[in-house]
Amino acid sequence: MRHALVLVAVLLISTPAAWAQAPAPAKKAPVALELVSPTGASARVEPEEVHIGEPFTYQVTLTHPKDQRYELVAPSGEGPVELLQQTRQRQDNANDATTTFGLRFSAFELGSVQLPDLTFDVATPEGPRRFVLKGKPVEVASTLPADAQGQGAELFDYQPPQEVPIRSWTLLYALAAALVVGLLAWMLVRWWQRRPKRDKVVPLLPLDVRVRQSLDALKREDLPGRGLVKDFYFRLSEIVRGYLGERYGFEALECTSSELMASLRRLPTPGLPEDALMRFVSESDMVKYARADASPESCNQALAFGYDLLAKTYVPPAPPKADAAPGPRVQ
């Protein structure tokens, strides 16, 4: 029994030491991705003349199969240039694809500066791949003039903020108030210009008044006396046709002469002098389209027919019926 206890104590003491001496499991080394190359690669610097401290663009264009996707791994930031911004654009063509990367750098060393190598993660149907584009050297020039070293240049260091004494706040208050008043006036003017405007509604004169005014105006112009017989018949024919169309409710201005008479025969037209209207229509067509001549007396007779047609066919509309007065209420 005593020997068994001693053996157990020895095992308990020796086990942690054995664990401490056991070698730690080895870390797996990162698997290097297989390299792949695009079908085409180009790079250029814009602008071509790079000045120290001023941003410039490094544009990289890659042509590759459409089933591949290129993603730029951000540069480490070490070296004489600093990455300010990057963009990526892809365009799929008929047989391949073009991916363009725009990198905006700023250089802080003069002379020949080596741009960093660019690493791209490439997704392919066979799995992830990698592509490395060698950096392009650029010449970085100074922003000082060419004769600065010989003639010298006035360089001034930055100064800390300095207080500007203001004797009174009255001027600032006045300027702020003027700005507010100007803004309110501008808003009022804009509202006035954009306000909904109500069009003035001019009441339509009765049909007989409008037709008689047109005939009177045509009579005052005395077109036949000035040798404008054709224009006279054109005007008079439009007045007569417009009146007939509005009086009997059809499109008279678009009708031929035969269609005009046929439409009137199908409508109730009490008092219409049909024979006189047919003579007027025929005479008008002869003057307007057959270049027939008409004497001043014929023109006066045609104008008189317009007045006579209005007097024989126009019927004033009936006045609206007044509402009947309510009768006595039956209790």
Side-chain angles (χ1 to χ4, degrees):
M1 186 64 180
R2 183 181 297 175
H3 293 289
L5 293 175
V6 173
L7 180 59
V8 172
V10 171
L11 291 175
L12 291 175
I13 295 172
S14 60
T15 299
W19 289 350
Q21 295 176 1
K27 295 182 180 179
K28 293 183 179 181
V31 180
L33 295 178
E34 184 179 347
L35 297 180
V36 69
S37 298
T39 55
S42 62
R44 59 192 179 96
V45 176
E46 295 180 355
E48 298 180 354
E49 185 178 356
V50 178
H51 291 90
I52 188 170
E54 295 182 357
F56 64 92
T57 301
Y58 184 40
Q59 183 171 317
V60 177
T61 303
L62 304 177
T63 305
H64 54 84
K66 290 199 291 186
D67 57 0
Q68 294 182 356
R69 180 178 178 84
Y70 281 71
E71 295 289 349
L72 175 65
V73 179
S76 61
E78 300 177 358
V81 295
E82 178 185 0
L83 179 62
L84 305 177
Q85 184 184 6
Q86 62 172 337
T87 59
R88 176 186 180 276
Q89 293 181 351
R90 174 182 172 125
Q91 180 180 358
D92 290 342
N93 305 316
N95 301 321
D96 54 14
T98 302
T99 304
T100 304
F101 297 89
L103 288 82
R104 196 166 180 80
F105 285 105
S106 182
F108 298 98
E109 290 186 7
L110 295 175
S112 180
V113 173
Q114 184 74 22
L115 295 179
D117 297 343
L118 300 180
T119 303
F120 299 87
D121 287 337
V122 186
T124 68
E126 295 80 14
R129 298 290 188 270
R130 180 157 291 178
F131 169 64
V132 179
L133 180 66
K134 188 69 176 176
K136 185 177 181 179
V138 295
E139 290 292 332
V140 181
S142 173
T143 56
L144 295 177
D147 58 349
Q149 188 170 359
Q151 302 294 332
E154 296 182 357
L155 301 178
F156 300 94
D157 196 3
Y158 293 104
Q159 296 183 0
Q162 297 181 359
E163 296 184 359
V164 178
I166 300 179
R167 297 183 180 275
S168 175
W169 294 95
T170 305
L171 179 59
L172 293 181
Y173 291 150
L175 291 177
L179 180 61
V180 172
V181 172
L183 180 60
L184 292 176
W186 177 80
M187 294 175 62
L188 180 61
V189 171
R190 294 288 291 176
W191 172 83
W192 181 260
Q193 293 176 347
R194 297 182 179 182
R195 77 190 190 282
K197 299 179 180 179
R198 297 181 180 178
D199 296 333
K200 186 177 180 180
V201 179
V202 179
L204 186 64
L205 296 175
L207 176 60
D208 63 325
V209 176
R210 287 183 279 121
V211 174
R212 190 170 287 105
Q213 288 179 351
S214 299
L215 293 174
D216 293 343
L218 181 62
K219 182 178 181 180
R220 287 194 299 269
E221 293 184 27
D222 190 21
L223 295 179
R226 299 178 337 193
L228 303 175
V229 176
K230 186 176 181 180
D231 294 342
F232 169 79
Y233 272 94
F234 263 109
R235 291 271 301 280
L236 182 58
S237 177
E238 287 184 355
I239 295 173
V240 172
R241 284 172 175 265
Y243 164 71
L244 293 174
E246 189 173 349
R247 170 65 180 84
Y248 297 110
F250 70 101
E251 189 60 46
L253 291 174
E254 301 297 330
C255 294
T256 61
S257 297
S258 58
E259 292 173 347
L260 175 68
M261 299 305 301
S263 298
L264 289 172
R265 292 188 184 103
R266 290 194 297 267
L267 297 171
T269 56
L272 178 69
E274 184 175 339
D275 295 340
L277 178 61
M278 288 186 62
R279 288 194 298 272
F280 169 76
V281 171
S282 300
E283 183 179 353
S284 298
D285 290 344
M286 291 294 293
V287 175
K288 291 190 297 183
Y289 304 115
R291 298 183 179 180
D293 196 9
S295 63
E297 184 177 348
S298 299
C299 295
N300 292 334
Q301 293 176 356
L303 184 61
F305 166 76
Y307 286 104
D308 184 62
L309 176 66
L310 178 63
K312 291 181 178 180
T313 58
Y314 179 74
V315 178
K321 296 181 179 180
D323 296 337
R329 183 176 182 181
V330 179
Q331 299 292 336

